[in-house]
Amino acid sequence: MPALAFCLILMIIPFGQTGMCAKKINSPLERYRIYLRLEKGLSPRTVEAYMMDVVRFGSYLDDEGKKLEDAELDDFRRFLETLADVGIHPRSQARIISSLRSLYTFFKLDGYIERNPTELLRSPKIGLHLPDVLTVGEIDRIIKAVNCDILEGQRNRAIIEMLYSCGLRVSELCGLRLSDLNLTEEFIRVIGKGNKQRLVPISESAISELNYYLYDRERIAVKPGFQDYVFVSERRGKPLSRITVFRMIKDTVERAGINKNVSPHTFRHSFATHMLEGGANLRIIQAILGHESISTTEIYTHIDRHRLRSEIIEFHPRSRPSKQPDLKK
């Protein structure tokens, strides 16, 4: 199919709709949607993203005169080539392929196909992205830069300390509930991706900041139904949104005068990196972060290797420029 035509298809098909291709095989796709939501425990937004990737591939197969159940390895390879032709980034290509692998794994499990055609399919290579990492000193500067003259001041200090001390995702922080806290035993229960629960230790400094905030929180008029959420808006009485936390982090980092690309996730990266540098076992870091695969956690070994290389260049005698003898003497 011409690249321009395929590009038009990508723009025409709206997210969240199954489209013509899905209607033709409504039952399998609806069963797949239920599988993603109930058995895999994915969020509604993630399910819609998976379904949209399937629709895109289904539209491509329609032009080839095929159904989803009839796809072969070469179809996926040509589909990848078409994605590249219309300028889809390799990272987005890899995500689409991941969605299709999930679909065909389900098709095989449910008996729609006998052989999974994606088993030998390779995802496009994605260059390793090493995120910005904050030093302990920079994190202290950011916490000190929080504007404590506003109502949200202590809440914001507690948020930053929790993101760093517990290695939380921003969605996990926003969803944290009072019933998840066990400050006496110094741990919290975190609901991560796929509604998976894990217990995470909480530092004394985070407990201190959190207790100061919880004292202030008693004066907030929390809306009915939201009383159990830890972090709520002082003005609206509802749980904080991810966008609110992003904006607060951006403003506070600017006040601290730190010229790095810092987001809530940066504190999670920094937590894991500092744990590794301090000698923590990679499996322990994996458990605290809630990574399903150890390969996800291994990115921090690359960050550590980069630091080690800079240390070697600076301090190892073989890396220092040697003094060449003056041959003119």
Side-chain angles (χ1 to χ4, degrees):
M1 180 173 59
L4 179 59
F6 183 72
C7 188
L8 292 174
I9 288 175
L10 295 185
M11 292 187 290
I12 291 170
I13 300 176
F15 281 91
Q17 296 182 9
T18 52
M20 184 186 304
C21 178
K23 290 178 182 177
K24 291 182 180 179
I25 53 171
N26 184 57
S27 180
L29 283 191
E30 285 307 311
R31 289 174 66 87
Y32 176 58
R33 184 191 292 273
I34 295 171
Y35 164 78
L36 292 176
R37 191 72 184 95
L38 299 183
E39 294 192 36
K40 299 288 286 184
L42 302 182
S43 68
R45 181 178 297 181
T46 303
V47 170
E48 289 307 317
Y50 272 54
M51 297 302 295
M52 192 62 245
D53 292 336
V54 171
V55 170
R56 287 175 171 174
F57 184 58
S59 297
Y60 172 82
L61 290 178
D62 275 348
D63 285 347
E64 300 291 322
K66 289 187 173 184
K67 297 180 179 179
L68 284 170
E69 299 97 317
D70 301 327
E72 298 175 350
L73 182 59
D74 284 343
D75 294 316
F76 294 96
R77 288 171 175 167
R78 287 194 294 270
F79 178 62
L80 270 178
E81 291 173 359
T82 308
L83 291 176
D85 287 343
V86 299
I88 303 297
H89 191 275
R91 191 173 298 276
S92 297
Q93 294 178 37
R95 191 210 69 231
I96 293 172
I97 292 302
S98 177
S99 299
L100 296 180
R101 283 200 183 101
S102 173
L103 172 71
Y104 284 91
T105 298
F106 166 77
F107 273 3
K108 186 177 179 181
L109 288 173
D110 233 36
Y112 292 111
I113 58 176
E114 294 182 0
R115 182 181 57 84
N116 186 345
T118 66
E119 288 179 349
L120 299 178
L121 182 64
R122 293 184 178 181
S123 295
K125 292 184 178 180
I126 303 172
L128 180 65
H129 172 66
L130 299 181
D132 282 336
V133 176
L134 295 165
T135 65
V136 176
E138 287 172 333
I139 291 170
D140 289 338
R141 281 172 55 191
I142 292 172
I143 293 176
K144 290 177 181 177
V146 171
N147 184 4
C148 291
D149 294 330
I150 59 176
L151 288 173
E152 302 88 353
Q154 183 55 46
R155 183 201 70 191
N156 294 343
R157 283 179 65 95
I159 285 174
I160 295 172
E161 190 66 62
M162 292 284 288
L163 287 172
Y164 173 61
S165 294
C166 301
L168 300 180
R169 300 180 179 96
V170 65
S171 57
E172 295 169 347
L173 176 111
C174 293
L176 195 65
R177 297 172 183 259
L178 294 172
S179 54
D180 295 325
L181 305 179
N182 189 334
L183 302 186
T184 304
E185 299 295 330
E186 299 185 351
F187 72 84
I188 61 175
R189 179 178 59 186
V190 178
I191 310 299
K193 291 184 177 180
N195 286 325
K196 293 181 180 178
Q197 300 184 21
R198 67 185 189 274
L199 296 179
V200 176
I202 178 171
S203 68
E204 291 184 3
S205 58
I207 291 175
S208 176
E209 296 292 352
L210 192 56
N211 278 329
Y212 282 126
Y213 162 66
L214 292 177
Y215 177 80
D216 292 341
R217 185 187 178 283
E218 293 179 357
R219 293 175 287 180
I220 301 174
V222 182
K223 299 288 184 183
F226 303 115
Q227 293 92 337
D228 197 30
Y229 283 88
V230 174
F231 294 106
V232 292
S233 168
E234 281 76 1
R235 294 172 174 82
R236 296 185 298 110
K238 293 183 178 181
L240 294 184
S241 68
R242 296 166 66 252
I243 298 300
T244 299
V245 178
F246 269 88
R247 289 173 177 168
M248 182 274 289
I249 294 294
K250 181 180 179 181
D251 292 342
T252 308
V253 169
E254 287 180 358
R255 286 172 59 90
I258 294 173
N259 297 318
K260 286 184 178 180
N261 184 22
V262 180
S263 71
H265 217 66
T266 307
F267 294 95
R268 179 173 161 89
H269 287 309
S270 302
F271 162 84
T273 303
H274 296 166
M275 286 278 290
L276 186 67
E277 291 176 351
N281 185 283
L282 203 61
R283 290 289 182 184
I284 299 297
I285 300 174
Q286 178 191 5
I288 294 176
L289 294 179
H291 287 161
E292 187 171 338
S293 171
I294 190 66
S295 61
T296 308
T297 316
E298 283 176 346
I299 184 175
Y300 298 106
T301 65
H302 293 285
I303 296 173
D304 196 43
R305 286 171 193 154
H306 178 75
R307 183 185 69 86
L308 289 175
R309 183 176 182 278
S310 64
E311 295 281 312
I312 290 172
I313 290 175
E314 182 175 357
F315 297 111
H316 196 279
R318 293 297 190 200
S319 300
R320 297 171 187 167
S322 60
K323 293 183 179 180
Q324 298 295 329
D326 191 348
L327 299 180
K328 293 182 180 179
K329 290 184 179 180

